[in-house]
Amino acid sequence: MKKKVIVTGGTGYIGSHTVVELQNSGFEVVIADNLSNSKIEVLDGIEVISGIRPLFEKIDLSVECECNEFFKKHTGIDAIIHFAASKAVGESVEKPLLYYRNNLNSLMNILEAMKENNIPNLVFSSSCTVYGQPDKLPVTESTPRKEAESPYGNTKSICEDIIRDTTKAHPELKGIALRYFNPIGAHPSSKIGELPLGVPNNLIPFLTQTVAGIRPELSVFGNDYNTTDGSCIRDYINVVDLAKAHVVAIERLLQDKNTSNYEYFNVGTGSGVSVLEIIESFERSTGEKVPHKIVGRRAGDIEQIYADTSYSNRELGWQSEKSLDETLLSAWNWQKTL
Ligand code: WQD
């Protein structure tokens, strides 16, 4: 009997790659998504890659009755992976209430549904943004969380606390938060990838759209930081490696290997890479030039962050595998299909 996993936000960027890895690992998947930031055609790509078209339901999980109806209909669920959330940093600054309402209500509705329907396991999509600008690098899981740089980041921090407190009050529930660093790249088949709607906020989609001629030039937001080449440093994690971390986390919960009811893990490569190094790596691996210029700093950007992944490697039993060059080439190959 296949284990059954609900993937909220499963037609999104990281969600769709995780659905592929779950189906390739023998799980039965049902996607719940409101399609506010993704397209239903993503199901075609998932089916081509994994040979299975997951069940899909268009649903707004932030609406309690919709959420309850969904979980009454889909029974025998072994675990939930919760991706569905608003995630644009800049938009969250302009519309904080929309972010708090959507991101917090969705999670709380899911936790209620878990209690009501005896669904024991939750994997939550968190973010390194909860660390703010760390005082010490690389960041470990015991690095204290800081005032997030945006309402978006704050919703991630608050959601972690909600899961921590709910699993403490209800020992039958178990949760794992995965703190992503910067997810990039696309499935090597180029059948699924990042589909930013409108002008991309994030570096890699903006870069690939620039090289594709959709944008005139990439602006590098500052080269006067206290880093090797003056540009910001991040830990860029391949999206397929990141998707696999979710399968490992689900298996950890299903096999009761978790050491407490609420755990959290850094999911990164452990290496910090600057914006200018990203451009060099992209040009080297694709043979394409990236038209770019240095401009002023972007408000809210932290100078540098990258993960200490030793705890994830040892305790979770996961580590990133793909190289930066290979990952950036996969992003370019995907862009060329759009
Ligand atoms: C990366 C670097 C920019 C665009 C955010 C969220 C994080 C996660 C990923 C959602 C920075 C520089 C960018 C550009 C640039 N969010 N940059 N020119 O800000 O590290 O993380 O997105 O899942 O939680 O905080 O990612 O890709 O926006 O920026 O120079 O046109 O690229 O300054 O140094 P960020 P990013």
Side-chain angles (χ1 to χ4, degrees), residues 204-223:
I204 302 308
F206 200 103
L207 186 154
T208 57
Q209 288 189 10
T210 300
V211 179
I214 299 167
R215 311 285 165 203
E217 194 173 38
L218 170 71
S219 296
V220 174
F221 296 140
N223 70 343

Side-chain angles (χ1 to χ4, degrees), residues 14 87 89 127-129 150 152 180-183 200-204 206 218-222 225 231-234 236 275 298 301-303:
I14 303 163
K87 56 161 257 184
V89 172
S127 168
C128 64
T129 197
S150 67
Y152 156 78
Y180 310 160
F181 282 69
N182 286 57
N201 297 305
N202 294 131
L203 176 63
I204 302 308
F206 200 103
L218 170 71
S219 296
V220 174
F221 296 140
Y225 286 96
S231 63
C232 290
I233 289 175
R234 296 290 185 275
Y236 294 95
V275 178
R298 177 172 69 176
D301 271 344
I302 61 169
E303 181 172 273

